[in-house]
Amino acid sequence: MDLDSSNTPVVIIGAGPVGLSLALGLAHHGVHSVLLERRSETSERSKAPALHTRTREILRQWGIADALEREGTLVETMNVHSPAGRRQLTLDFTELAHEALAPGILFLEQAATERILLAAVRASGYCDVRFGAEVTALENDADAVHISYRSGDTQHHLTGRFGVGCDGASSFVRSSLGLSFDGATLPLRASLADVRVDDTRDTLPWPRTHNGSSGIIGAQRLAPHLWRIVRVEPGAARSGTPVPDAEVRSWVDTVLGAGSATVLWANRFQFNRRTSHRFRVGRVLLAGDAAHVFPPVMGQGMNSGIQDVHNLAWKLAEALDGGDHELLLASYDEERRHAIGAVSRYVAQQTRIGVRAPRPLRIGLVWLMRIAMGVPAMRRRSLGNIAMTDRSYGASALLDPQERAAGVRLPNPELLTPTGDGIRLYDLLPTGGALVHLDPAPAKADNAPEVDGLPVVRIGPDGYTDPSGLLRRLLGSSRGWIRVRPDRHVSWARAQRPLRTGEPLAE
């Protein structure tokens, strides 16, 4: 596939997990794109190895969750252990099973995630992926985005209806737009390494955490014999300085026990908390690390980037189909900045009390967390934060805060068919928007499968039943309507159906 360089619907810059996810999401909505990446191939590093429940819901919607889960390790109940093997904390994500399918954390090397995404993008036939393509100029006018890029010794030019920068924390796109990247580098020395362990230590329970006087060492198993080691200590960042193999092996000995280990890769990095004050200028948008970065505590960075483009893909599709692009793109900027603000504050809090605090306070925090996890409401809130299933959108060009449930993630309960078989709500939803109709009365003969062009999922007699009660609680009634966006967030929940022909999705 080779799109006309003078009429490309969407140009994506950056083929990391966020850019690839956007290309796949656009393909899911039938939108063609060109994806430019200056590297010659996808990453070979493990980098961000955790896919949270909300992100896996998105990737399931786009058809690749099964492929990812075949290669990764899904942890539904996580027991955090000390180096001595003592269980310090338990996170039982199965408590979220009433609202999400197979909740938990999927551990998978980022290299594998990118490889699977790239294969799906290419198989879609909707994206022209160009590696070795370094963007050198970007101009943004009222009608189009003009991009120049270099491939080898040749200069090329693209004109797209829209452009999206998914090109990382040092984003060329963000710089071209003149946007600042406000925030700070935290006073922490952080290092990570991937090591191969071939002896019986490979069977140890994980994750494991050593809470030392000079810092924290963590270990998690990414694949058979492959372990990720992370070391964090107070002090000025030393990003870029080499990490001797002997230093890495000493961390392995501390957290896994003495023995041989092969260091496959090691790096020092910084704990940054930075955000662009805008995620959109005209027809150009930012997503992922190009728009925001925060400390890797709780592993929410890459996940947030994929959630960015989940919000964006359907809006670009509607804009290209004649929708009000100003309204749609403004809502992306507003909604995602609101969501990222919540994630950033949460991660910053966890970093402050769980990493930067002195050792006695860190030890006390573990005990407090164990106590808190014994309180059902606090436990569910903590699990929802980690799983990212509790992320809602604030007011935007598409969301009226006066509407009930506006912006919340639609839960995904298991429904029962009239014959008693189970099926998840998300599996009944189409690619686009939909209506969920709750009515305890028997279905009427004239009930249509669509209302004002939107497919209807009926909850009630002769339809599906919701034993969880989640949809009734979201609606605040046993009878009414829930309008669902293509990204499976709620536009509104109403007792009545004030629909009219041509009503926008957001109203």
Side-chain angles (χ1 to χ4, degrees), residues 34 156 162:
V34 170
H156 302 267
F162 301 100

Side-chain angles (χ1 to χ4, degrees), residues 31-332:
V31 175
H32 289 90
S33 63
V34 170
L35 178 55
L36 305 175
E37 169 56 56
R38 63 181 178 83
R39 298 171 301 166
S40 60
E41 58 185 8
T42 55
S43 174
E44 296 180 351
R45 304 298 185 192
S46 61
K47 293 185 179 179
L51 291 167
H52 290 300
T53 301
R54 178 58 181 146
T55 305
R56 289 171 42 238
E57 288 180 339
I58 294 166
L59 298 173
R60 183 169 299 280
Q61 184 180 357
W62 292 343
I64 66 165
D66 290 344
L68 293 165
E69 290 174 13
R70 279 194 296 270
E71 294 206 22
T73 300
L74 178 60
V75 177
E76 295 180 292
T77 301
M78 177 180 289
N79 296 307
V80 182
H81 292 80
S82 71
R86 184 176 62 255
R87 185 182 301 177
Q88 298 175 317
L89 186 67
T90 296
L91 300 173
D92 185 0
F93 293 102
T94 63
E95 287 203 37
L96 303 177
H98 64 295
E99 63 164 296
L101 174 65
I105 303 176
L106 180 68
F107 287 95
L108 180 64
E109 299 171 72
Q110 183 175 317
T113 299
E114 292 188 16
R115 172 171 47 79
I116 292 168
L117 280 166
L118 177 60
V121 167
R122 284 177 165 160
S124 74
Y126 277 89
C127 183
D128 182 357
V129 183
R130 303 178 185 179
F131 285 99
E134 182 176 6
V135 176
T136 56
L138 181 148
E139 294 182 5
N140 183 15
D141 62 34
D143 300 314
V145 179
H146 308 280
I147 293 171
S148 298
Y149 71 93
R150 182 172 53 246
S151 180
D153 296 326
T154 306
Q155 196 74 15
H156 302 267
H157 302 279
L158 273 175
T159 297
R161 295 278 302 280
F162 301 100
V164 186
C166 304
D167 51 340
S170 57
S171 171
F172 176 88
V173 175
R174 187 184 64 245
S175 298
S176 297
L177 297 174
L179 296 175
S180 61
F181 208 33
D182 301 326
T185 298
L186 304 184
L188 290 168
R189 294 178 178 175
S191 306
L192 59 82
D194 289 347
V195 301
R196 182 173 180 85
V197 176
D198 289 319
D199 53 33
T200 57
R201 291 172 301 164
D202 189 50
T203 63
L204 289 171
W206 58 275
R208 305 172 74 79
T209 302
H210 170 71
N211 194 355
S213 58
S214 61
I216 296 172
I217 303 173
Q220 61 191 37
R221 190 176 186 265
L222 303 183
H225 306 291
L226 177 64
W227 287 75
R228 159 66 58 80
I229 308 295
V230 180
R231 163 75 174 177
V232 183
E233 59 186 330
R238 298 182 296 178
S239 180
T241 60
V243 187
D245 286 0
E247 187 175 352
V248 175
R249 292 191 182 100
S250 72
W251 304 336
V252 174
D253 289 349
T254 298
V255 75
L256 296 183
S260 63
T262 302
V263 180
L264 305 176
W265 174 74
N267 189 31
R268 302 193 197 277
F269 65 98
Q270 296 177 331
F271 271 42
N272 284 303
R273 186 188 180 199
R274 300 181 183 277
T275 306
S276 176
H277 67 282
R278 296 174 67 184
F279 290 4
R280 175 233 173 177
V281 176
R283 290 176 172 267
V284 180
L285 306 105
L286 301 176
D289 286 356
H292 49 78
V293 294
F294 26 79
V297 176
M298 313 309 292
Q300 301 209 345
M302 178 184 70
N303 289 269
S304 292
I306 294 173
Q307 291 165 35
D308 286 345
V309 299
H310 187 230
N311 181 290
L312 180 58
W314 71 271
K315 294 176 179 178
L316 288 173
E318 289 213 355
L320 289 161
D321 196 36
D324 185 336
H325 83 269
E326 181 61 37
L327 183 87
L328 290 159
L329 300 190
S331 76
Y332 167 76

Side-chain angles (χ1 to χ4, degrees), residues 34 100 120 140 156 238 279 285 334 338 343 372 390 408 420 446 500:
V34 170
N140 183 15
H156 302 267
R238 298 182 296 178
F279 290 4
L285 306 105
E334 294 161 339
H338 175 271
V343 174
D390 64 342
V408 305
D446 60 351
R500 61 188 184 278

Side-chain angles (χ1 to χ4, degrees), residues 208-506:
R208 305 172 74 79
T209 302
H210 170 71
N211 194 355
S213 58
S214 61
I216 296 172
I217 303 173
Q220 61 191 37
R221 190 176 186 265
L222 303 183
H225 306 291
L226 177 64
W227 287 75
R228 159 66 58 80
I229 308 295
V230 180
R231 163 75 174 177
V232 183
E233 59 186 330
R238 298 182 296 178
S239 180
T241 60
V243 187
D245 286 0
E247 187 175 352
V248 175
R249 292 191 182 100
S250 72
W251 304 336
V252 174
D253 289 349
T254 298
V255 75
L256 296 183
S260 63
T262 302
V263 180
L264 305 176
W265 174 74
N267 189 31
R268 302 193 197 277
F269 65 98
Q270 296 177 331
F271 271 42
N272 284 303
R273 186 188 180 199
R274 300 181 183 277
T275 306
S276 176
H277 67 282
R278 296 174 67 184
F279 290 4
R280 175 233 173 177
V281 176
R283 290 176 172 267
V284 180
L285 306 105
L286 301 176
D289 286 356
H292 49 78
V293 294
F294 26 79
V297 176
M298 313 309 292
Q300 301 209 345
M302 178 184 70
N303 289 269
S304 292
I306 294 173
Q307 291 165 35
D308 286 345
V309 299
H310 187 230
N311 181 290
L312 180 58
W314 71 271
K315 294 176 179 178
L316 288 173
E318 289 213 355
L320 289 161
D321 196 36
D324 185 336
H325 83 269
E326 181 61 37
L327 183 87
L328 290 159
L329 300 190
S331 76
Y332 167 76
D333 180 59
E334 294 161 339
E335 291 174 8
R336 286 311 296 169
R337 281 193 293 109
H338 175 271
I340 290 302
V343 174
S344 184
R345 289 188 294 272
Y346 169 67
V347 171
Q349 179 190 54
Q350 297 300 312
T351 303
R352 183 171 59 254
I353 62 179
V355 178
R356 297 179 65 184
R359 181 173 182 266
L361 290 181
R362 296 198 304 267
I363 293 173
L365 174 66
V366 173
W367 283 103
L368 285 175
M369 288 182 66
R370 291 178 67 174
I371 294 171
M373 295 301 278
V375 180
M378 297 181 71
R379 182 172 63 248
R380 286 191 293 270
R381 180 178 178 182
S382 179
L383 292 170
N385 271 323
I386 298 170
M388 305 182 80
T389 55
D390 64 342
R391 304 302 179 201
S392 299
Y393 294 139
S396 77
L398 289 185
L399 292 173
D400 181 352
Q402 301 303 312
E403 293 279 7
R404 183 179 179 89
V408 305
R409 163 191 164 269
L410 181 74
N412 185 24
E414 184 175 50
L415 307 179
L416 296 179
T417 68
T419 59
D421 296 321
I423 186 170
R424 289 282 174 169
L425 174 59
Y426 283 15
D427 293 334
L428 299 172
L429 298 176
T431 298
L435 287 165
V436 178
H437 181 205
L438 279 69
D439 193 340
K444 299 177 182 178
D446 60 351
N447 275 339
E450 291 189 357
V451 173
D452 203 39
L454 290 174
V456 177
V457 177
R458 300 194 184 278
I459 310 297
D462 305 317
Y464 299 95
T465 57
D466 174 22
S468 74
L470 286 174
L471 299 176
R472 291 191 299 277
R473 289 196 288 274
L474 186 149
L475 181 62
S477 172
S478 62
R479 179 182 283 108
W481 299 79
I482 302 169
R483 195 159 190 175
V484 184
R485 308 190 322 182
D487 59 3
R488 294 174 179 173
H489 281 257
V490 175
S491 291
W492 47 251
R494 299 174 180 172
Q496 301 298 320
R497 192 193 77 205
L499 292 174
R500 61 188 184 278
T501 302
E503 179 185 11
L505 182 64

